[in-house]
Amino acid sequence: MKKILGSILIVLKIFAANYQIEISKEDPYIKEPITINLKFFEKKKEEVDWINFEPIKSKNYDVVLLNKKSRDFGYEFLYLVFPLKEGEIKIDYKLRVKKAPFEEIQNKILGTGYEQTTPIEGTIYTIKVEPSILKVKPVKKVELYGNFRIKTFTDKKTAQEYEPIYYTFNITGTGYPPQIKDIFPNKDNLKILKDKPLKKIKYTKNGAQIDYTFQYAIISDKSFTIPSVKFKEFDYKEYLVLKTKPISIEIKKSQIKADKIDDPPKIEPFYKSLVSILKYFAIFFAGSVSGILVYLLLRKEEFEKIMKAKDEKELLAFITVKYPKCLENIKNRLDEAIVNKTDINLLKIKKEIIKEIRKKGCK
């Protein structure tokens, strides 16, 4: 029978003293980052095709490979481990080495022209490794494990009604990666549009370095307050509370409406006269021209706001609040353009919205 990639699995006692395990801390707290350094000593490195030395995955801890290196003494593997439960935790290891004659290893490195059809021969050795025991200390219930900083800010604190306020929450620090999905509570009097969170994680010896950003567009026709954000934190020494300040947003009535209120004699008579004439035409002629004129008159303010929207987000915010049961296709296209940061013809979309409103009578 043909040999297949080192078909024999052997446990050899001669390897028993050929490894070393170094743990940075054997009594960590729950979700406290520790490092496990695994070393395998091998004199004849030229006969090693590959080596796999790692903690076996478990629901009792998270494990991340930080580094693996070839050393003068053999091989070294550095892992980051987060214990997930209190009490004694056993960490089992897997150590496998594939060896082959030096000539075959060289042929693999240099190439023979038959690499796709002739796999390297060799023997895979499975080596028994003694497990490690961690004595994990308990922690009170908190949202953050590690040392973090949080901050919030808005692009402005005063806006016109239906003008979006862009709100950003950011958390940075080092520890166990926080499980944060959303930080803004739903409020009946606010329309909240959410971008996909931006989450950056880099694993180091000290833990996971994280940078999370959550962004929101908030639309309202009344003044409101963005509530404080609060998290309980344990930095592996003491319990802390991280808290941001509430942000008050002032919403002003739109300029168009203000003009109508402040100067009624100039506008109201004309409005009433024109409406009367249009009603007359609508009753006796029921013509399409009068219908269009009525729509243009009654929806003039809405159309002006649509045309004045400075970007996709502001346009989407307005039509979402103003026409909650209409324009779904256009809303989806705008939302997709915002998320994917693709360029669209904003003027063309605005004209399409107005056309749809006239056609369907959106309310």
Side-chain angles (χ1 to χ4, degrees), residues 12-19 40-42 97 99 125 127:
L12 296 180
K13 292 183 179 179
I14 60 173
F15 284 104
N18 279 24
Y19 68 84
F40 181 75
F41 303 98
E42 175 58 60
V97 182
K99 287 192 171 186
Y125 300 92
I127 303 158

Side-chain angles (χ1 to χ4, degrees), residues 190-224:
L190 300 178
K191 182 65 180 179
I192 303 170
L193 304 176
K194 305 175 183 180
D195 280 348
K196 184 178 180 180
L198 302 175
K199 295 186 176 182
K200 300 178 182 177
I201 302 178
K202 180 182 179 182
Y203 291 98
T204 70
K205 291 182 180 180
N206 298 320
Q209 292 182 349
I210 68 101
D211 187 344
Y212 292 176
T213 300
F214 298 81
Q215 294 180 312
Y216 303 85
I218 309 168
I219 306 101
S220 178
D221 59 350
K222 297 178 181 178
S223 297
F224 61 94

Side-chain angles (χ1 to χ4, degrees), residues 294-308:
V294 170
Y295 268 112
L296 286 174
L297 178 66
L298 300 180
R299 294 187 180 268
K300 177 183 176 183
E301 181 183 334
E302 297 173 21
F303 293 166
E304 284 184 354
K305 287 188 176 182
I306 291 170
M307 295 304 295
K308 288 180 179 179

